[in-house]
Amino acid sequence: MANIKEEKLRKLKKSYIGGSFAGFIIIGTIVFCLFASLFAVFGLYIMDTKLRDEYARVSKTAEVYSILKDAGNDGISRILENRDNVYLITDADMNVIETHGKNTCDLSKGGKIDILEFTDDVAVPADEEGIHGHIGSMVEKARDNAITVYPDTEVAIITPSGRGRVMIDFVKLRSIISGADYGSDALSLQQAYFVKLPFWIDIPVDANHHMICKAYFNIYFRELAILSFLAVMVVILTFVTLIFVLAYIIKTVRNRKRMNEIFFMDETTGQHNWLWFITNAERELKKKHNADKKYAVLDVVFVNYRNFCVCHSVEEGDKMLCRINDRIQGFLGKHELTAHHSASHFAVLLEYRDRDELEDRIRKMIDDLEHINDEHKFYYWIGVDRIPESRDEKGRVVRRDNIDVEKEFNNAGAARATLTVEDSAIAFFDEKMVEEQRWIDLINENQMRALASEEFVVFYQPKYDPRTRELKGAEALIRWMSPEHGMISPGRFIPIFEKNGFITKIDHYMLAHVARDQRRWLDAGYDCVPVSVNVSRAHFIESDLAEQIKGIVDDAGTPHDLIEIELTESAFFDDKNALISTIKKLREYGFAVSMDDFGSGYSSLNSLKEMPLDVLKLDAEFFRNDDGDGRGQIVVSEAIRLAQNLKMRTVAEGVEEKNQVDFLAEQGCDMIQGFYFAKPMPKDEYEERMNNKTA
Ligand code: C2E
Ligand code: MG
Ligand code: MG
């Protein structure tokens, strides 16, 4: 294909869904990340602030203890009790040596966390002014060192993670909030707090003592509200983005389906179009598991379409095409396809087992299509191109990676183009057709050059009187002396020239050469006889044909009675009046006119009645396959008699046997042109024949 079309289609689809989808994902992710990081930053900020406050409080207590520890236990206790602290004093090995308040510290699970950024402006209660400077230095120290925290044994919600962070066990927290019993002591829900979570902070007092104070992680309602708001926002945004993406995907898929429908819809039938056919047929054929199956691509033509449109209307014609499309569709198996190609053409992909089965199916389809309308007799031409199983040199089944359905359909079309009968017919494509097409292309390419370089040569085939064996005339027959292909006989290029119109140039060329030859022979003293020149039916649309012929012959200065014009039987089916007028003019100018190949095609008896002809050339077929029952001879003798009665001379073509010559002599045939006397020959040989007048 249409590989370019397919590629473009694929790109279009990709960009359509892929580009926008990626855009959505990117925007969604950015928004989500923004809110999630806001949530995280805010959460961390709150946590850090709490820890910092508590650390500052515990640090101050430790500092007080440090300063007053020498003043005696009573003094220390009094001061610290006033501060409402719960604490432990341990030695360097973490053995508890003093406890104040209830010891709920889990010393077995200590972990380090980085302490937060403390500044010197930490608030200091009024009664502890004297220790202000010490706290400052203490906090400075804390900046450099991580501190150790211990979980509370009763409400172990805050635990050191061991990775420099305090972790909150949210599952437990949720249970606490929802009323689960974790010890009323540890969890005292106060008015201002939403929740108050205990943990323990370890402050080294000196080289031998640690003070481990109970601290609280207090979460206020407003903080929780902001956090919850952010959490809800993250959830909502994620959800909204998801809904958006989902809705977009659904919309895109739907649009793509609609786009495909429009892209692959045929305007005439409203069903699949040619592009759909190529895309899907190639996809089907390229599948690995289909490589061992045989397929056929059909070019189905509804031949009567134009006539039907003329008689009815184009709309009616198009409706008929829709019905044909439906009928063909009804004949297809699961993986078989059809689509309207153009005008009255349909493309069909069939799977088949063997040729007979395939032909049988197609005939059944034709039979059904012929009866699509009871008022008309429709007929169809079907070209078939078969795609065999795909195998490599070793006979292994291989994918049809390079299949080109457009080419296969073209082959089917080439086969279909060979059909001319006015009835339904099937034509199978084969390699001979490719050869033929190559040959036609070659002829088309080289014809002009060949004419200019005089590669076309005149051969003469003498005509003899069967009784006296005297030379009575000759026919000029063309030969192509090709430098590449040697001598090419007219059967291989005349039909091509007749189709492409080049035949008119050839006939003029031949006539000019023959006229010049005759003139030269006359001047050289030869006893010249009339030479007939073939004029193709393509000329008869030219109303001045007779004048053109006369002009060419006169240019050479040849007497008109030495030139005879041969018209093939098929020419007599064209415009009769134009033909009669040309024949009359030619005869007036003194040219003899003959009917070539009489009896080869449809009956020309009617033409004989109306056309004023001089010579009747009996077709060679009269003398082929005579089965000896005498019927052929009767036809020939009657044809000769008919010509005699119409005052026409007769020439028998293609005579190869002596008994045929004798019979024709007996019947009064005027001349014989056949291999029995002579084959078509080059000019110099013909000159010798003119010298020896008898055969
Ligand atoms: P045609 O005009 O009917 O020419 C007679 C053909 O019969 C010639 O074939 C000739 O060689 C062949 N023929 C004659 N006697 C015998 C015989 O005894 N046995 C057999 N087997 N064949 C015989 P050729 O030369 O191949 O020409 C074929 C056709 O090509 C001609 O049929 C004519 O229709 C066409 N043609 C040839 N030259 C010209 C030309 O210059 N212009 C046009 N328009 N057509 C030409
Ligand atoms: Mg002829
Ligand atoms: Mg002939």
Side-chain angles (χ1 to χ4, degrees), residues 475 477 534 566 568 595-598 617-620 653 673:
E475 177 174 7
L477 295 161
N534 291 286
E566 286 193 20
T568 50
M595 182 193 276
D596 200 359
D597 305 333
F598 175 76
K617 292 190 79 177
L618 301 179
D619 192 69
E653 281 187 291
Q673 177 191 341

Side-chain angles (χ1 to χ4, degrees), residues 15-229:
S15 66
Y16 195 61
I17 191 158
S20 322
F21 185 70
F24 256 107
I25 294 290
I26 289 169
I27 293 171
T29 313
I30 289 173
V31 173
F32 173 80
C33 288
L34 208 74
F35 272 85
S37 16
L38 254 172
F39 174 78
V41 166
F42 189 69
L44 276 178
Y45 170 77
I46 290 175
M47 229 159 110
D48 282 1
T49 316
K50 307 276 155 196
L51 283 176
R52 190 197 305 164
D53 289 350
E54 284 302 281
Y55 183 77
R57 188 174 64 78
V58 172
S59 294
K60 270 185 247 168
T61 311
E63 188 62 19
V64 170
Y65 175 78
S66 158
I67 293 165
L68 301 179
K69 72 176 187 306
D70 298 330
N73 277 349
D74 286 352
I76 296 168
S77 300
R78 217 174 40 251
I79 291 170
L80 293 183
E81 267 166 33
N82 288 342
R83 295 172 66 88
D84 197 21
N85 283 310
V86 177
Y87 64 88
L88 321 169
I89 305 293
T90 66
D91 59 16
D93 300 329
M94 302 309 284
N95 299 313
V96 179
I97 50 176
E98 194 186 328
T99 307
H100 182 81
K102 193 181 177 191
N103 178 7
T104 54
C105 177
D106 185 356
L107 278 169
S108 63
K109 285 190 187 164
K112 297 275 184 196
I113 61 164
D114 297 326
I115 191 59
L116 316 138
E117 224 176 85
F118 284 102
T119 53
D120 285 353
D121 57 352
V122 176
V124 179
D127 58 333
E128 285 146 26
E129 270 172 37
I131 57 169
H132 188 261
H134 293 281
I135 294 170
S137 63
M138 184 83 184
V139 169
E140 271 302 312
K141 228 169 94 192
R143 243 186 222 150
D144 302 330
N145 304 314
I147 58 156
T148 311
V149 292
Y150 297 96
D152 193 87
T153 50
E154 293 190 357
V155 185
I157 290 170
I158 295 195
T159 56
S161 70
R163 290 199 302 270
R165 265 287 144 241
V166 168
M167 304 290 289
I168 295 179
D169 184 341
F170 281 99
V171 178
K172 216 175 247 183
L173 179 61
R174 210 170 51 228
S175 318
I176 289 166
I177 294 166
S178 63
D181 184 12
Y182 276 90
S184 53
D185 244 18
L187 185 69
S188 55
L189 290 176
Q190 294 175 10
Q191 251 193 347
Y193 303 121
F194 174 72
V195 75
K196 188 176 183 181
L197 307 169
F199 68 104
W200 295 78
I201 295 178
D202 178 353
I203 305 273
V205 179
D206 54 32
N208 300 320
H209 296 93
H210 284 253
M211 177 176 230
I212 302 167
C213 273
K214 193 165 191 173
Y216 291 95
F217 192 87
N218 302 316
I219 301 173
Y220 295 93
F221 273 111
R222 62 169 191 282
E223 291 163 345
L224 194 82
I226 296 173
L227 267 178
S228 311
F229 170 76

Side-chain angles (χ1 to χ4, degrees), residues 366-405:
I366 290 178
D367 198 42
D368 185 60
L369 292 175
E370 278 178 347
H371 297 99
I372 204 163
N373 186 308
D374 294 334
E375 293 162 27
H376 299 87
K377 161 87 178 102
F378 289 151
Y379 64 94
Y380 301 83
W381 289 339
I382 299 184
V384 185
D385 180 50
R386 284 167 294 162
I387 304 169
E389 303 137 323
S390 171
R391 292 186 187 276
D392 62 9
E393 323 70 70
K394 290 181 181 154
R396 288 174 303 206
V397 174
V398 285
R399 281 171 107 98
R400 294 184 184 91
D401 281 332
N402 298 319
I403 191 79
D404 182 352
V405 170

